[in-house]
Amino acid sequence: MQRAAPVEPVDGVHSVERHPVERHPAGPVEPVSRRQLLLWGAGGLAATALGTAGLVRGAVRLDGPAGGALAAPRELKSRGRNLEVQLTAARGPVRLGDGEATMLRYNGMLPGPTLRLRPGDRLKVALRNDLPEATNLHVHGLHVSPQDNGDNPFVHIGAGSTFNYEYELPADHPSGVFWYHPHLHGSVAEQVSGGLYGAIIVEDPEPIAVSRERVLMISDVSLGPSGRVQSPSFMDRMMGRMGGVLLLNGQVRPQLEARPGQRERWRVVNACVSRYLRLRLDGQQMELLGMDLGHYAVPRAVDEVFLAPGNRADLLVTTVAGTSRLRALPYNRVNMGGMGNMMGQDSGGEHTLAALVVAGQQAPAPAPVAARPASRDLRGEAPAGTRELVFSAAFGGMMGGGPVGGPDGGPAFGRFTIDGREFDPARTDVRAKAGSVEEWTLTNTSPMDHPIHLHIWPMQLIETGGRPVRDILWRDVVNVPANGQARVRIAFDDHVGRSVFHCHILDHEDNGMMAVIEVR
Ligand code: C2O
Ligand code: CU
Ligand code: CU
């Protein structure tokens, strides 16, 4: 089977830059009627979620019209350089469509509250675990200490107990969109897909004038007829589970409203366990300010935004009268001769995440966005060392009809490794010198993409798919394509200690595709 036609790679990250002639200066493109909204709602979603069982009484109904108004997660903002929050993780009911599902939540909310910080702030989180099993917390993308009660992925918080985290953001911490989620090896996919996630915003030193800012957290979930999150099959865990229902801030197809000519800032988080997102908002004008912790000097007009699991987009949307759909287009991350489909990957359909209704009086044109200083470029700095890291997934036994022995005597099928080894928290796999710059070649020998994430220290993507990257691109999740490579440079600045890097298809991480790094 052929991979889905690759999105034209611009700047090495697949986001599709808008061609100047394709700019839509005015007028609705692809207007959408109320009737069409109803029709989309009547389509595959319900069938996907509920299977042939149909709509059981009391089940989560997902076939209604586009859902209610988009709800913003509650915001908690630092004051006087400090933010102290209490987060309680617990199981509870969540309204989805016309029904109710049982999910996991922070503080009874889905997503958890948005934490809004500034560089130089101190964040304290008292995490109370009201789940029946252990958990912990990771602040994804923050450049903070990994030690002790900092962003320490080795912490274990038992059922019923509380742990006090404390993070200190350096005064020059990059601004951008970050997020938090549990990181207890073995149950990360389960707890994140259950609903445990929230956004973190680190504000810009110079604010950008916008009419409103929205946090948009995208996740997917598999719900059974009783409204419970469905347990993944063995294959789901191997390939990375993908839920048939996409949620935007925990809602099914909510509606967003704006006046024409307004400039909004959208902070988009791909919180899906395994789903890659190719986001389109046809009929509107999107400009990408940056991804993860990186930003362009000048925003880029784009038609499509590509987010691997864990990635975030910092977007400007300038509204055009009419109704547009925020859509997630399919992306084929598995290249296994049709096995992808057999394993429950939905490489087929696209999903509508939301409807954006733009109507009313034209807003005055927003002030231009000031250029930002260019980010540091490690291509001008000689690396102290280079490494090659090999990401593998053993599928040998599968074609032959059953698991076969791996090199260590265990089953070869379903071994997800880095340099041939599965995660062991007691072992240190990579030692790097504090203050040094290293160049890493990330090699993927498996027939599926792996989005590779390094904690604490951001990566500058310098080459992907054998082609050098043109721009200065800083990421904390870098997609390494099936049977392909990516090259990054990393500056091990500011913080020392032990942390991890791993595949952000969280089932792969839980299955062993994670390694320990120590910087000192
Ligand atoms: Cu978002 Cu180590 O994870
Ligand atoms: Cu992380
Ligand atoms: Cu992976």
Side-chain angles (χ1 to χ4, degrees):
M1 191 184 66
Q2 284 276 291
R3 284 167 73 81
V7 181
E8 182 154 332
V10 172
D11 69 18
V13 286
H14 301 287
S15 286
V16 177
E17 212 159 3
R18 171 167 291 178
H19 195 269
V21 298
E22 286 173 359
R23 264 191 174 280
H24 310 297
V29 177
E30 203 184 316
V32 172
S33 68
R34 172 100 184 139
R35 190 178 141 67
Q36 273 174 298
L37 283 176
L38 286 162
L39 285 173
W40 295 327
L45 255 187
T48 316
L50 301 171
T52 48
L55 298 169
V56 182
R57 190 164 56 93
V60 179
R61 283 180 57 99
L62 299 163
D63 60 343
L70 176 78
R74 182 159 167 236
E75 289 216 342
L76 303 171
K77 199 172 167 161
S78 67
R79 252 190 244 137
R81 293 267 159 267
N82 278 296
L83 179 60
E84 280 188 41
V85 303
Q86 157 105 40
L87 287 181
T88 302
R91 195 175 292 279
V94 171
R95 274 202 71 79
L96 286 185
D98 299 335
E100 205 169 71
T102 304
M103 295 188 69
L104 310 182
R105 304 167 309 170
Y106 286 121
N107 296 2
M109 295 180 265
L110 181 71
T114 299
L115 312 181
R116 194 171 274 276
L117 303 169
R118 301 175 64 86
D121 280 356
R122 178 195 307 264
L123 167 66
K124 289 186 182 180
V125 179
L127 183 78
R128 185 185 156 81
N129 180 10
D130 279 350
L131 302 170
E133 81 243 14
T135 190
N136 67 10
L137 191 73
H138 168 50
V139 284
H140 178 129
L142 289 190
H143 180 56
V144 294
S145 169
Q147 302 197 55
D148 307 323
N149 64 338
D151 188 26
N152 183 344
F154 306 105
V155 165
H156 190 278
I157 309 172
S161 46
T162 297
F163 187 86
N164 294 302
Y165 287 98
E166 196 171 324
Y167 315 95
E168 237 170 290
L169 277 62
D172 61 351
H173 193 287
S175 58
V177 194
F178 305 88
W179 61 303
Y180 59 88
H181 61 78
H183 215 285
L184 194 74
H185 178 65
S187 56
V188 183
E190 201 68 28
Q191 293 185 356
V192 173
S193 67
L196 294 179
Y197 52 80
I200 300 173
I201 306 293
V202 179
E203 291 184 339
D204 302 311
E206 299 294 333
I208 295 172
V210 291
S211 60
R212 77 187 303 165
E213 190 170 319
R214 301 183 196 261
V215 167
L216 302 173
M217 296 201 79
I218 300 170
S219 60
D220 60 359
V221 69
S222 279
L223 294 173
S226 63
R228 276 221 152 208
V229 176
Q230 246 168 358
S231 310
S233 66
F234 176 74
M235 279 303 183
D236 289 337
R237 273 183 229 205
M238 293 302 111
M239 305 307 287
R241 70 191 72 186
M242 301 227 287
V245 180
L246 271 77
L247 304 177
L248 187 63
N249 291 353
Q251 291 172 274
V252 181
R253 292 191 311 282
Q255 183 163 309
L256 292 67
E257 286 173 11
R259 282 167 53 198
Q262 287 186 318
R263 180 165 65 208
E264 300 194 348
R265 188 166 187 178
W266 290 13
R267 313 280 205 162
V268 187
V269 180
N270 183 355
C272 299
V273 166
S274 312
R275 183 184 294 274
Y276 285 67
L277 297 169
R278 290 171 54 202
L279 298 176
R280 290 188 76 96
L281 185 64
D282 293 344
Q284 307 293 324
Q285 293 180 10
M286 292 196 296
E287 288 168 292
L288 191 58
L289 287 164
M291 273 176 60
D292 296 357
L293 68 160
H295 64 260
Y296 296 114
V298 175
R300 291 284 168 87
V302 290
D303 282 326
E304 189 172 311
V305 176
F306 180 81
L307 296 179
N311 276 141
R312 291 85 61 203
D314 197 350
L315 267 180
L316 293 177
V317 174
T318 305
T319 51
V320 176
T323 298
S324 300
R325 288 186 289 160
L326 176 63
R327 292 182 300 154
L329 270 51
Y331 174 75
N332 190 359
R333 62 186 172 87
V334 180
N335 185 18
M336 304 180 64
M339 293 305 280
N341 291 326
M342 282 172 53
M343 293 175 192
Q345 305 295 307
D346 79 344
S347 50
E350 67 172 55
H351 293 263
T352 296
L353 282 160
L356 170 63
V357 179
V358 182
Q361 223 195 341
Q362 182 81 20
V369 178
R372 295 203 259 186
S375 309
R376 180 175 176 189
D377 191 347
L378 296 182
R379 288 171 294 194
E381 300 177 34
T386 58
R387 292 175 203 276
E388 181 175 359
L389 295 154
V390 179
F391 298 83
S392 309
F395 291 106
M398 188 176 48
M399 307 293 189
V404 297
D408 60 358
F413 179 71
R415 282 187 89 242
F416 287 83
T417 58
I418 301 176
D419 286 345
R421 300 190 289 199
E422 290 174 319
F423 177 63
D424 177 354
R427 187 183 67 222
T428 299
D429 300 283
V430 169
R431 291 174 203 277
K433 198 164 164 288
S436 69
V437 171
E438 292 198 359
E439 182 169 302
W440 290 11
T441 302
L442 312 174
T443 299
N444 180 356
T445 61
S446 76
M448 50 168 61
D449 290 16
H450 298 291
I452 301 304
H453 171 51
L454 170 62
H455 286 206
I456 314 295
W457 302 277
M459 300 177 278
Q460 185 186 352
L461 180 63
I462 62 169
E463 191 190 297
T464 179
R467 305 204 317 194
V469 168
R470 189 181 53 189
D471 298 298
I472 303 174
L473 296 182
W474 285 93
R475 296 280 184 275
D476 53 56
V477 177
V478 164
N479 191 47
V480 187
N483 298 308
Q485 272 188 343
R487 209 182 297 267
V488 299
R489 285 192 182 181
I490 305 153
F492 291 101
D493 288 340
D494 301 330
H495 304 295
V496 294
R498 284 177 98 232
S499 191
V500 291
F501 57 97
H502 59 89
C503 178
H504 217 287
I505 288 178
L506 297 173
D507 282 300
H508 295 172
E509 184 266 292
D510 283 336
N511 276 316
M513 197 177 263
M514 176 152 74
V516 175
I517 177 170
E518 180 166 18
V519 176
R520 60 174 171 181

